[in-house]
Amino acid sequence: MTTLQAYRFAPDAHDIQAAALSRHAGAARFAFNRGLARVQAALAQRDAEKTSSVACAELTPVPWALPALRREWNWAKATAAPWWAECSKEAYSAGLDQLAGRPKHFGDSRSGKRRGRRAGFPRFTKRGKSRDSFRYTTGSHGPDGDRHVKLPRIGRVKVHEPMAALTGRPADGTARLLGATVSRTAGRWFVAFTVEVDREVPTGPSRRQRKARTAGVDLGVKHLAVLSTGEMIPNPKHLAASLRRLCTASRAYARSKPASAGRRRRAARLACIHARVASQRRDGLHRLTSRLATTHDAIVVEDLHVAGMVRNRRLARAVADTAMAEVRRQLGYKTGWYGCRLVVADRWYPSSRTCSGCGGRNPSLTLSDRMFVCPSCGLVIDRDVNAAVNLRSLVAASMSETVNARGGDQKTPLAGQVAVKREPGTAPAGKTGGASPQGEAA
Ligand SMILES: [Zn+2]
């Protein structure tokens, strides 16, 4: 199985190298801003041509595709940036690449052609405000031995940890290096190698030992995850743990004098705390999802509407701190890597309100009830374990229709079918597909 993977390392650059890294990021920013100015000028020109009474045979072309931007840059760089040779040409390319297509995305987003979050018209980037990054796609970049990376025009830079996970791969022909992105987060530089990797997906009985074949996973705020086996993975609440420090640092930053050395120092401190929280969270989630994907044959999760939950201001901080959508995203690709199957239960499947013992419903269950008490069979079970067990039961129902087995992230419109199977008294609602809110809305 061929996948794209990123291997990220932290270079331990000495002062001269760190300055070169900053300079390259600045070069990318310069090319971006200059390109954006050209695009804006061309758009303004075109507007003027459209409204003028003199009919123009041809409107001014807007250089917003990468080849046009690069052609223009190469033509103008000797006068616009006489110092351009100090940095790798890849840096300027990277800046133009960041710009390419963005004005078009803005237009498509505004006219509704592009889905997702509204894209704004690109804005000029500013040193110290915008993210520092540039990318190598050609030239002799890559790992140099186990503890160094080589970056054109910057040199051979030591990295903080051994790169055995990456360096072993190109040697045995299972990987191809496609590029390297260098970026700075909270004052620290990172190099991320994009690698096309040929992964061997474990199959059949030779596959590593698996404790349980199938697990239902209920994600939540009280516990980060509750498995159908009854195992509860605590929510580490990294943000909550650092909140006091964040408050202090934010206040200090807000009270500092604008554009002062003190403000820069305090901004760096604040960024460090945020970056630390993000790193802790990322580490925990990767450990969790790797463990789930390597020790199971199939995993069932709910298709949670996390963006909607974050809109609830009382829940927003706690929900965002758990990063439930990220768990789902990571499981999406890791299940494929490790020969596990991911089943995503429908958003409206009433996993919490259904009894895992008899299949009856308890519509009176509220968010504050930690225990599920079944009105028909008297089962008393932890609310989240009950939900996880219900989720696990969906795998059997999805088996018949997903013959292609491993690796897929299959969305199962199961809510209807399962509800019909469990409640013989009700009319078959399966025809309406998975989109109908059943039970949970009651
Ligand atoms: Zn029951």
Side-chain angles (χ1 to χ4, degrees):
M1 154 189 209
T2 314
T3 51
L4 282 184
Q5 255 180 269
Y7 288 83
R8 199 170 75 134
F9 302 100
D12 184 11
H14 60 60
D15 287 355
I16 297 171
Q17 290 171 335
L21 289 170
S22 289
R23 193 159 58 236
H24 276 70
R29 193 167 51 232
F30 182 87
F32 179 97
N33 283 337
R34 197 179 169 284
L36 179 55
R38 304 293 301 180
V39 169
Q40 279 188 346
L43 285 172
Q45 174 80 25
R46 183 180 272 211
D47 274 353
E49 285 162 1
K50 273 183 193 162
T51 50
S52 74
S53 50
V54 188
C56 294
E58 216 172 285
L59 293 174
T60 309
V62 181
W64 58 32
L66 186 56
L69 285 167
R70 278 168 84 157
R71 214 176 308 123
E72 204 279 325
W73 166 256
N74 284 326
W75 175 77
K77 66 186 175 188
T79 44
W83 39 263
W84 68 269
E86 283 175 34
C87 294
S88 165
K89 67 179 169 57
E90 293 284 291
Y92 308 103
S93 253
L96 296 175
D97 192 33
Q98 282 165 18
L99 174 64
R102 290 260 300 272
K104 190 170 180 308
H105 292 168
F106 163 70
D108 288 350
S109 181
R110 208 164 52 157
S111 64
K113 253 193 278 177
R114 186 186 156 89
R115 294 180 60 211
R117 208 157 132 189
R118 273 293 273 283
F121 192 81
R123 294 200 281 184
F124 289 103
T125 55
K126 190 167 190 281
R127 178 163 61 97
K129 290 266 183 203
S130 47
R131 181 176 169 78
D132 281 339
S133 88
F134 59 98
R135 182 172 167 77
Y136 294 102
T137 49
T138 59
S140 64
H141 63 276
D144 186 9
D146 201 28
R147 291 302 284 261
H148 292 84
V149 293
K150 53 179 193 293
L151 301 170
R153 300 291 294 156
I154 292 171
R156 190 165 178 266
V157 187
K158 190 177 164 295
V159 289
H160 278 293
E161 51 181 341
M163 298 186 290
L166 172 62
T167 48
R169 282 189 172 273
D172 60 15
T174 55
R176 195 161 66 91
L177 188 62
L178 299 179
T181 302
V182 184
S183 65
R184 176 152 57 182
T185 303
R188 288 187 80 184
W189 287 100
F190 292 96
V191 181
F193 293 108
T194 318
V195 184
E196 193 183 65
V197 178
D198 196 12
R199 292 190 76 98
E200 203 174 313
V201 179
T203 49
S206 66
R207 159 165 50 174
R208 70 195 71 189
Q209 274 152 20
R210 307 211 151 159
K211 286 190 211 102
R213 291 183 53 80
T214 307
V217 180
D218 181 73
L219 301 170
V221 171
K222 181 109 199 307
H223 292 96
L224 178 57
V226 173
L227 309 189
S228 49
T229 53
E231 186 188 343
M232 296 183 181
I233 292 129
N235 182 356
K237 298 185 182 166
H238 295 301
L239 178 69
S242 292
L243 208 53
R244 270 180 68 105
R245 241 169 304 155
L246 270 176
C247 284
T248 317
S250 298
R251 206 177 307 123
Y253 170 77
R255 289 176 181 173
S256 60
K257 196 173 148 200
S260 64
R263 168 155 287 203
R264 269 203 302 283
R265 201 168 53 239
R266 283 158 184 163
R269 161 105 186 108
L270 186 55
C272 270
I273 303 171
H274 275 298
R276 186 179 140 82
V277 171
S279 300
Q280 289 174 319
R281 184 184 295 126
R282 184 166 47 235
D283 178 54
L285 293 185
H286 273 300
R287 282 166 197 265
L288 170 66
T289 52
S290 287
R291 179 164 73 88
L292 287 175
T294 50
T295 54
H296 294 91
D297 279 343
I299 295 171
V300 193
V301 291
E302 259 179 308
D303 179 24
L304 293 169
H305 184 36
V306 180
M309 289 154 81
V310 173
R311 248 178 262 142
N312 178 337
R313 19 163 91 198
R314 280 167 62 209
L315 289 175
R317 182 185 284 162
V319 170
D321 195 7
T322 58
M324 288 183 259
E326 179 65 8
V327 174
R328 159 78 199 283
R329 188 190 72 82
Q330 289 181 5
L331 282 176
Y333 68 84
K334 286 189 185 177
T335 47
W337 286 1
Y338 299 118
C340 174
R341 197 166 61 104
L342 181 67
V343 178
V344 180
D346 186 78
R347 186 166 289 178
W348 305 109
Y349 175 64
S351 60
S352 299
R353 287 161 200 239
T354 308
C355 172
S356 59
C358 68
R361 291 283 170 80
N362 181 359
S364 63
L365 191 79
T366 64
L367 256 180
S368 56
D369 295 336
R370 295 317 308 170
M371 296 305 277
F372 179 91
V373 182
C374 180
S376 15
C377 73
L379 176 77
V380 179
I381 183 173
D382 179 270
R383 164 205 182 90
D384 296 330
V385 176
N386 178 56
V389 172
N390 281 327
L391 287 173
R392 185 181 60 188
S393 70
L394 291 181
V395 136
S398 76
M399 249 359 161
S400 54
E401 49 186 87
T402 53
V403 195
N404 62 338
R406 297 167 298 101
D409 175 356
Q410 295 125 346
K411 211 161 189 172
T412 48
L414 286 173
Q417 297 169 11
V418 173
V420 171
K421 202 174 73 188
R422 295 200 157 171
E423 284 176 278
T426 53
K431 292 266 185 340
T432 55
S436 58
Q438 295 175 12
E440 207 85 68

